[in-house]
Amino acid sequence: MDNIADGVVEQSVKRKWQSYIWDSLDKSPEERRFLFKLDSALITFACLGYFIKYLDQANVNNAFVSGMKEDLSLNGNQLNYMTTAWTVGYVIGEVPSNILLTRIRPSVWIPSMEVLWTILTMLLCRCNSASQLYALRFLVGLAESTFYPGMQYIIGSWYRKDELAKRSCIFHTSSAIATMISGYLMAAVYNLDGRGGMAGWKWLFIMDGVISMPIALAGYYFLPDIPETSRARYLSAEEIAYAQRRMKLEGREKRKPYTKAKFKKILTSWHIYGLSLLYVLFNNGAAGAVPVFAQYLKDSKYPVYTVAQINVYPTCTGAVQIITTLAYAWLSDSLLKGERWPPIVFGACMNIVCYVSLAIWDIPEGWRWTCYILAGSGYGLSGLCMAWAHEICANDNEERAIVIASMNEMAYVLQAWLPLIVWQQMDAPQYQKGFITVSVLSLLLIITAFVLKVLHRRQNSWQSKREGIEVETAESDAPEVSFEVQTKR
């Protein structure tokens, strides 16, 4: 089986122009077929799962500006507290979940948690007080904590460097699509207001469950686990061998036991701290904690916008996020030859331009709308950050799982309390403190990206030297063979 995989999967292939469109077009027919199957199952499920996760998150904001605030008398900072309750649950669950994923089958764990959070989300329609919302949002966050870091770990276990950013970013764009769909869905569901004695915003959570449950159940079939443990019915034994060969060529280590030495190595390396800082700054360096555009529209006195307009117009920001996320991925994997830092720096620069302008506030109305919309160009960097982490931590499977979870977890640790200070509901829609804060975080993101670039290059240089020394040592230790040529006299 290994010999077959060796013949199909090459260390490197000469890039043709077609590969800049899609990476599998310059690979062998067998490997192309394998990638088509894997993309159709794994990436499709990942996108749909992240879609329903973000649909739930976005719908809380949409419900809030569509009647929940008035019906439940949420006139203080209750929206911030709901976000914090969800974030606390999310933070608690991430690292333990990813540690479990290195020992149990993802195809069982992740779909089971999806089913649970779907049920909990539907129960939000029965809430009659802020305290009930806080409790359910905490439990939803705990169940959802398994998905994003878990799926990033799985994606990083199947794809090579020239494929990884595209898949990670396609996965991430589903969050923007969910945010957009949520706006349209709220505008449509609002017409059900009063049906069955329930307000329109309550119907939104029921529709969440109707959409989410089939996707959660599909995960039991479509998730392929990881190459060394995969039992996916849609992959042949030869194709699983291809996958294992591909990860070997990328230097991605197989699973190994957790030991004190391993934990010490992980906790004393710059990987976990540098990459976590990068992701913390990206994740909090944008106005995602509150619906800033929607609240600006809702607060407008002239003109006065309808509920449908308040939910639909901000979807333009999501459209920009989708376009720029995919552009970053294709450029990073192809023209930039696997470099992840340039799009990260560009996205952070766009954040600074948009949020500094909004912090000034006294700007032309057209430019204000432009800033709200173009801010989406800084939202799509998650896949690049995760792809970079997979490559930096390729030599240790358990470190890779923990670092991926730690990146997301630390980002949400800051998000648990920062919005309570800088994104206070009472400051809406101006949010000057929030806009200044994310501008500063974006500047720090640029600095961190350059530092990690230097550290990663030093690491690669050191590894290359070490491998060269090991080859020389192996050659010097090899027994010498001498030949005597005898001639007849």
Side-chain angles (χ1 to χ4, degrees), residues 343-355 377 442-443 445-446:
I344 294 174
V345 170
F346 176 80
C349 289
M350 289 298 294
N351 280 346
I352 292 171
V353 170
C354 293
Y355 293 123
S377 59
S442 295
L443 177 61
L445 175 61
I446 294 170

Side-chain angles (χ1 to χ4, degrees), residues 58-264:
N59 277 345
V60 170
N61 288 333
N62 287 114
F64 183 83
V65 298
S66 302
M68 179 197 283
K69 176 181 176 181
E70 291 78 11
D71 289 354
L72 302 185
S73 300
L74 307 177
N75 298 314
N77 282 324
Q78 290 91 342
L79 180 60
N80 299 106
Y81 299 148
M82 275 190 278
T83 301
T84 298
W86 178 90
T87 303
V88 170
Y90 197 75
V91 165
I92 290 172
E94 286 186 272
V95 170
S97 175
N98 257 32
I99 290 175
L100 281 172
L101 282 181
T102 65
R103 296 296 175 263
I104 63 176
R105 292 191 178 277
S107 59
V108 174
W109 177 246
I110 289 178
S112 298
M113 292 299 102
E114 281 187 295
V115 170
L116 178 59
W117 95 53
T118 297
I119 294 170
L120 292 169
T121 297
M122 292 181 74
L123 289 175
L124 287 169
C125 75
R126 308 304 300 171
C127 289
N128 295 310
S129 67
S131 57
Q132 292 173 351
L133 287 169
Y134 302 154
L136 274 178
R137 290 302 293 165
F138 169 80
L139 294 174
V140 169
L142 193 61
E144 287 184 354
S145 68
T146 61
F147 190 79
Y148 187 74
M151 290 306 304
Q152 284 288 5
Y153 165 70
I154 296 166
I155 289 171
S157 299
W158 287 91
Y159 290 102
R160 302 186 70 177
K161 184 171 184 177
D162 63 322
E163 306 158 352
L164 188 53
K166 283 193 285 295
R167 272 69 175 192
S168 290
C169 287
I170 289 171
F171 171 39
H172 190 69
T173 56
S174 54
S175 66
I177 295 171
T179 303
M180 292 175 64
I181 294 296
S182 175
Y184 298 121
L185 185 63
M186 184 67 247
V189 169
Y190 196 74
N191 294 322
L192 296 174
D193 190 41
R195 294 284 182 92
M198 289 196 300
W201 64 266
K202 291 190 174 187
W203 279 104
L204 187 61
F205 295 120
I206 294 174
M207 293 305 299
D208 273 353
V210 171
I211 295 169
S212 301
M213 189 59 77
I215 295 171
L217 295 174
Y220 290 109
Y221 175 80
F222 286 110
L223 264 182
D225 297 318
I226 59 175
E228 64 179 290
T229 63
S230 181
R231 58 182 182 186
R233 295 179 183 178
Y234 50 84
L235 294 178
S236 66
E238 291 83 1
E239 287 167 334
I240 292 173
Y242 300 162
Q244 293 170 352
R245 163 72 175 166
R246 281 157 48 87
M247 291 302 97
K248 184 177 180 182
L249 292 175
E250 289 299 299
R252 302 225 180 103
E253 288 288 337
K254 292 184 177 181
R255 297 181 304 165
K256 291 180 180 177
Y258 282 105
T259 62
K260 288 184 179 179
K262 180 178 284 290
F263 279 114
K264 182 179 178 181

